[in-house]
Amino acid sequence: HNQHKDMMTSDKPEFCRPLERPIEIYENERLWIGRGFSKAGLLPTERGPYSTQDGSLSWKLLRDASLALLRGDVVASSSSLDGGKDWLSLNGKAAAAGRKVTRRGWSFHEEDNGTDDQSITTTSEQENDYECSSIQTNNNSSNNNNTNDDYCGFVPCKGSEDGPTDENGWQYFPDFKEQSLLHPSRTTRGLLDFVRRRKLRRIAMFRPDHFLPREIYNKCDFCDSKAVQALSDGMLEALSLASLFAYGSTNNPEKVTDAQVIPLKSKL
């Protein structure tokens, strides 16, 4: 009782360790005999160099993909909703240098531009550069060779979670068709494998100080924030799917794509 009383009456603010969620992006390449695997070899009808899992949303640059999925700042055009290929950047178009970005409380860093000084004014491009840097990451990967600015702090996923991969996280397939991607069967390229992909992941943190000054919020010892977040995510998922079904956007739950769900979640 005394311990709880001390926690409730303490005047010392305690920074709440933020909620975390993984941002996952798929890197895609195609093989051309004599030139090897490359992103430049991808066909115009295929998913782009960086995409969501089902390939319905694609980006030319990892930077654009990471910022869009981090902030939920994704707007799909009619071509991507219909299953066609659509190049996206921030908000579905090229990001303007001075455009104000809705940050939505999620960040790859615990500090803004490495400082708590709120008087320092930064442009949206400077904020984007900082978010896409690998410094001050919270996933303990800052010393990994893959964790560099070229990869925006993302690291390849290796292991058995999504099937076998080679030492660099690549999986090999005959093509990018849905049925082909269901069965990764080897850790090296087979004779009939002409495409490969790998999952890249970086951990994002929820930043309460995007909404409230740090000095006026405290850690709550009587609320399980992770459970609340899990409930919120589940409700948002259910609401977005119910909206798609109710308004006739899709009649088959198995055909729902990331291009439909991610923009709708952002709007909801």
Side-chain angles (χ1 to χ4, degrees), residues 60-102:
K60 288 184 178 180
L61 302 176
L62 180 58
R63 168 192 171 92
D64 287 342
S66 63
L67 291 172
L69 295 178
L70 171 69
R71 296 165 174 162
D73 197 10
V74 177
V75 177
S77 72
S78 58
S79 62
S80 62
L81 291 175
D82 293 336
K85 183 177 179 180
D86 184 36
W87 297 115
L88 297 177
S89 60
L90 288 179
N91 207 21
K93 56 185 177 181
R99 187 173 67 85
K100 183 178 180 181
V101 175
T102 303

